[in-house]
Amino acid sequence: MKNASKNNIQNLILDSIENAAAEVCENSGVNIRKMPEYYMNVVIAHDLCEAFPSLGFRLELPVKDLLDKFGIVSSKSPLELRDGGKFDIVLHSRKSKKIRHVIEVKKSLNKLQIRKDALRIAALAHENHGSRRLETGYIVAIRRLKNSCKSRSLEELIDDRIDMIKSVTNNMDVSARYALFEPGEVGFSSEERLGIIVFCLQKNNAL
C-alpha cells in the first residue's frame, strides 16, 4: 500500500479529477468546469481517503478552528491567511485527528486566485504550529486550453505560475504535476482540452 507522500498525493489528485471529468461528461453531458467547485472538493477528499486509509478529511474547515487546534490565538499573518475564511480541504490523521495538509481548489489558473491561495498556504506553513506536515500544502486547478497556435502551452502557464508563487512567498519550494486531455474529450469542443494541475508548496527549512 502506498504511503501518503507528496508525490503520491499529487498523482492521486490528478487521477481523481481525470476520473471525475469523465464521469461528469458521461452522466451530465457537460464538462467539469460547469460543475460547482465544491464537487471537486468532495471527489478529491473521498478519493484520497479511499487510497490512503491513514487519512481523514474535513471540508471547509474555518481557518480559526484549525489555528485553535494548535493553540494559536493570534496569527502571524492574518491577511495572507485570511483567518476569517475557510480551507477547501483539510487532511488529517484518521486515527489521531492531527491535521496534516491543506488543499485549496480552483476552477481556473487565474493569477490572482492562485496568488491568494499560495500566500495562504505559505502563511500557514510559517505559523507556530510545530507540525512539519503542515508545512506542505497543495493547490489544485483546472484549465480550459484552446487548441490554437496563439495559445500558451500548459507547461508555459505552469512555469509562469510557479515563478509567480516563488516571487510572492517566503522560503517555499514549489513544484507541479499535471495531466492533459486530448482536444474534444470529456465534454470540451474539438478546439479545446482540459488541463489539470496540482501545485505542491513546501517550506524550505534550509533557507
Side-chain angles (χ1 to χ4, degrees):
M1 183 180 298
K2 293 182 179 179
N3 61 7
S5 68
K6 65 179 184 179
N7 287 342
N8 288 340
I9 287 175
Q10 285 177 282
N11 289 336
L12 195 284
I13 293 173
L14 290 175
D15 290 344
S16 178
I17 299 300
E18 285 186 83
N19 293 335
E23 288 181 7
V24 166
C25 179
E26 180 179 354
N27 295 328
S28 70
V30 299
N31 69 65
I32 195 169
R33 293 185 76 249
K34 303 288 186 182
M35 300 294 286
E37 196 172 272
Y38 191 76
Y39 170 78
M40 292 200 298
N41 298 353
V42 173
V43 168
I44 291 168
H46 173 270
D47 289 353
L48 282 171
C49 293
E50 284 288 301
F52 307 118
S54 64
L55 294 180
F57 70 88
R58 288 285 303 275
L59 297 177
E60 296 193 349
L61 179 70
V63 174
K64 289 185 177 180
D65 285 6
L66 184 149
L67 297 178
D68 285 345
K69 291 179 183 294
F70 291 95
I72 300 173
V73 177
S74 179
S75 166
K76 294 197 296 184
S77 306
L79 293 180
E80 289 82 1
L81 200 55
R82 287 177 279 141
D83 59 3
K86 300 176 181 179
F87 295 113
D88 289 338
I89 304 170
V90 173
L91 298 178
H92 60 69
S93 165
R94 192 176 302 185
K95 184 177 181 180
S96 69
K97 301 300 185 289
K98 289 183 179 179
I99 294 174
R100 294 189 176 187
H101 305 294
V102 163
I103 303 173
E104 298 288 358
V105 181
K106 288 289 172 281
K107 290 201 298 181
S108 77
L109 266 178
N110 177 274
K111 263 191 172 182
L112 178 60
Q113 294 299 318
I114 299 297
R115 182 181 186 275
K116 287 171 61 178
D117 283 343
L119 287 170
R120 168 179 265 186
I121 289 172
L124 181 61
H126 286 84
E127 284 291 343
N128 295 320
H129 43 62
S131 169
R132 292 299 295 268
R133 284 195 172 107
L134 207 51
E135 293 177 355
T136 300
Y138 304 88
I139 301 173
V140 182
I142 58 174
R143 167 86 180 203
R144 179 184 62 189
L145 297 156
K146 293 185 178 180
N147 194 25
S148 166
C149 60
K150 295 182 180 180
S151 300
R152 298 176 71 183
S153 70
L154 185 58
E155 292 90 344
E156 290 175 322
L157 290 168
I158 291 171
D159 287 344
D160 178 79
R161 299 306 186 266
I162 288 177
D163 289 342
M164 180 270 294
I165 292 171
K166 288 181 177 179
S167 73
V168 300
T169 57
N170 181 33
N171 293 354
M172 299 297 288
D173 293 329
V174 187
S175 62
R177 297 191 172 213
Y178 71 92
L180 190 60
F181 282 92
E182 292 298 320
E185 291 186 328
V186 294
F188 287 83
S189 74
S190 60
E191 299 299 317
E192 298 176 331
R193 63 203 308 189
L194 175 66
I196 308 164
I197 311 96
V198 185
F199 296 96
C200 176
L201 287 71
Q202 184 172 27
K203 181 181 176 183
N204 187 336
N205 289 297
L207 297 177

